[in-house]
Amino acid sequence: MTERAVRFEVVRECPHTRARAGLLHTPHGIVETPVFMPVGTLGAVKALTQDMLEELGARIILANTYHLLIRPGHELVAEMGGLHRFLSWPNAVLTDSGGYQIFSLSSLRQINDDGVIFRSHLDGAEHHLTPESALDIQAALGSDIRMVLDECTEYPTTHEHARRSMERTVRWARQGLAHARRQGRERPPAVFPIVQGSMFPDLRRECAERLLELDADGYAIGGLSVGEPRTVSLEMVEATEEILPRDRPRYCMGVGLLEDLGEYVARGVDMMDCVLPTRNARNGYLFTSRGRLIIKHQKYRNDPRPVDEDCPCRTCARYSRAYLRHLFLSGEITFSVLASYHNVRAYLDRLRRIRQSIMLGNLPTLLNSFSYQTVDEQ
């Protein structure tokens, strides 16, 4: 049997939920799961340097094929030694295929059975992504885990449209994986197919069952966080997870709020990513153990307390809410750095606590302690 590029090891399963603690073995180190992956779309997690990410304990980050294809170009990244050398990042990297970004640029793209024709949002130049070329680009980038090209549907949509999209996603996954395996016969790269099917449980289950035939290194759940209610998103994970193999990692793409992470883990998810920690930070929304804090509010004008009194990060250890509010209202770039550092730390710490609770067998108790309010509502 050909050696897998990544290997997943289940260390402990929660006796009360579908959660499990695991170890994801990659060419650039071992990642403890469940894990949150900071999003470095353009090859950088916004407002944070790589040494900050290492200090925070990040073991894997995400980069995006679409954006790196547009700028600086995958050929340049390959010339510079691949993403790890280009980014000066020693740990694991996962690359998304760009399907979601193309979905979000609906006015600039055309989808057919062969792939996607789209125009750059920067200069209007035309590009053509196929299931094969999407993985060729990721091969040039040199990521540890690569995603197949998929079609993400808008919400809401009809069952008929969702089925057509799901069928296309399955065909693309077959084509892409076969191509990647031909390109790396001795040690094929780690490629995850993506379960689609919009918000229809029957399509989600059918898609998952058909993708199982590919015997992939891991499986992703895509097409969520596109405007559907939170409860529906969780239902789609439940419909999918029960079919996916227990000995492979499950990656839920693009979710979610800090308080929601545990809900996805309890439903069997091992890997997650989301832009919210850094995006919300830049907009003045800070995640704390007591809920979200909106720093611009007048009540924090002379508040000497840290953002979160239970957080040991460098932002909370040194700076007051009053000072951070001043930086935010002044448009000072330092605010984005300090707030992003805190928010990413909050996400990484939340997953570390969740993992520890799985190991100890008390995950439900921990989940019940999480707040769903903003600090200002308490």
Side-chain angles (χ1 to χ4, degrees):
M1 180 178 176
T2 304
E3 183 183 359
R4 292 188 180 277
V6 299
R7 180 171 59 86
F8 184 63
E9 175 186 355
V10 177
V11 177
R12 182 73 180 269
E13 295 187 271
C14 174
H16 312 290
T17 70
R18 299 289 288 174
R20 67 267 191 85
L23 296 173
L24 180 63
H25 299 260
T26 81
H28 286 87
I30 297 174
V31 179
E32 293 186 342
T33 65
V35 64
F36 177 81
M37 300 180 288
V39 176
T41 301
L42 297 169
V45 178
K46 292 187 184 300
L48 298 179
T49 61
Q50 273 71 313
D51 61 321
M52 289 179 177
L53 291 168
E54 290 182 88
E55 183 180 291
L56 288 168
R59 301 294 300 170
I60 181 170
I61 61 173
L62 180 146
N64 185 265
T65 298
Y66 167 83
H67 286 284
L68 293 171
L69 165 66
I70 298 300
R71 183 171 58 193
H74 59 290
E75 298 96 341
L76 174 62
V77 175
E79 180 185 335
M80 298 298 295
L83 275 177
H84 294 88
R85 290 189 65 184
F86 189 53
L87 274 57
S88 188
W89 176 249
N91 300 321
V93 176
L94 179 149
T95 44
D96 187 4
S97 68
Y100 182 82
Q101 284 67 35
I102 293 168
F103 152 78
S104 66
L105 300 170
S106 58
S107 63
L108 299 174
R109 49 87 170 155
Q110 295 178 333
I111 299 177
N112 56 46
D113 286 342
D114 295 328
V116 184
I117 299 171
F118 64 95
R119 293 192 176 277
S120 164
H121 66 286
L122 296 177
D123 59 10
E126 186 173 284
H127 299 271
H128 188 198
L129 266 185
T130 67
E132 294 83 4
S133 68
L135 286 165
D136 285 340
I137 293 166
Q138 292 177 78
L141 296 175
S143 51
D144 299 283
I145 300 174
R146 303 161 194 179
M147 310 304 296
V148 299
L149 184 66
D150 65 323
E151 182 180 356
C152 181
T153 55
E154 66 278 0
Y155 174 81
T157 191
T158 65
H159 191 276
E160 180 183 7
H161 177 65
R163 171 166 284 283
R164 287 198 304 270
S165 175
M166 182 272 286
E167 296 275 2
R168 180 175 285 154
T169 290
V170 172
R171 286 197 301 274
W172 285 356
R174 288 173 178 159
Q175 290 174 233
L177 266 165
H179 177 72
R181 286 167 175 168
R182 286 193 299 270
Q183 298 298 100
R185 290 184 185 276
E186 293 186 5
R187 189 177 187 183
V191 179
F192 288 13
I194 303 172
V195 177
Q196 291 286 358
S198 188
M199 306 305 153
F200 300 100
D202 62 318
L203 295 183
R204 290 278 175 178
R205 285 191 287 267
E206 180 181 343
C207 187
E209 287 170 352
R210 293 168 66 178
L211 292 178
L212 286 187
E213 301 170 9
L214 300 176
D215 189 29
D217 296 285
Y219 292 85
I221 303 170
L224 301 180
S225 296
V226 292
E228 79 280 4
R230 171 178 170 272
T231 53
V232 173
S233 178
L234 294 173
E235 287 169 9
M236 294 307 103
V237 172
E238 290 174 358
T240 304
E241 184 276 339
E242 64 184 10
I243 295 166
L244 297 179
R246 297 288 285 171
D247 65 341
R248 311 289 164 85
R250 292 83 166 267
Y251 164 32
C252 195
M253 307 175 75
V255 298
L257 289 170
L258 181 66
E259 57 265 26
D260 291 340
L261 301 182
E263 298 298 330
Y264 287 100
V265 171
R267 288 162 175 80
V269 170
D270 306 296
M271 306 164 67
M272 288 165 281
D273 76 282
C274 189
V275 298
L276 284 183
T278 50
R279 177 181 291 172
N280 278 22
R282 297 192 302 277
N283 290 316
Y285 289 78
L286 299 168
F287 294 97
T288 80
S289 57
R290 295 173 178 80
R292 279 161 284 162
L293 184 151
I294 303 171
I295 199 66
K296 69 179 180 181
H297 285 180
Q298 177 68 17
K299 63 189 291 185
Y300 303 124
R301 179 179 177 274
N302 59 349
D303 191 334
R305 295 174 296 170
V307 169
D308 187 344
E309 292 170 300
D310 296 327
C311 177
C313 83
R314 62 162 73 176
T315 299
C316 292
R318 186 161 188 170
Y319 303 104
S320 68
R321 296 178 182 182
Y323 180 62
L324 293 172
R325 179 179 182 273
H326 157 68
L327 294 179
F328 176 73
L329 294 179
S330 301
E332 171 54 56
I333 196 170
T334 304
F335 174 81
S336 293
V337 176
L338 296 175
S340 297
Y341 188 93
H342 167 79
N343 275 0
V344 171
R345 170 69 183 252
Y347 269 65
L348 294 175
D349 276 0
R350 178 63 56 93
L351 265 299
R352 283 189 278 258
R353 289 184 63 198
I354 288 171
R355 188 180 196 278
Q356 183 181 36
S357 72
I358 296 171
M359 297 295 289
L360 295 174
N362 60 6
L363 178 62
T365 301
L366 179 68
L367 296 184
N368 289 334
S369 72
F370 294 153
S371 173
Y372 286 81
Q373 297 177 297
T374 66
V375 173
D376 303 292
E377 291 173 340
Q378 299 175 2

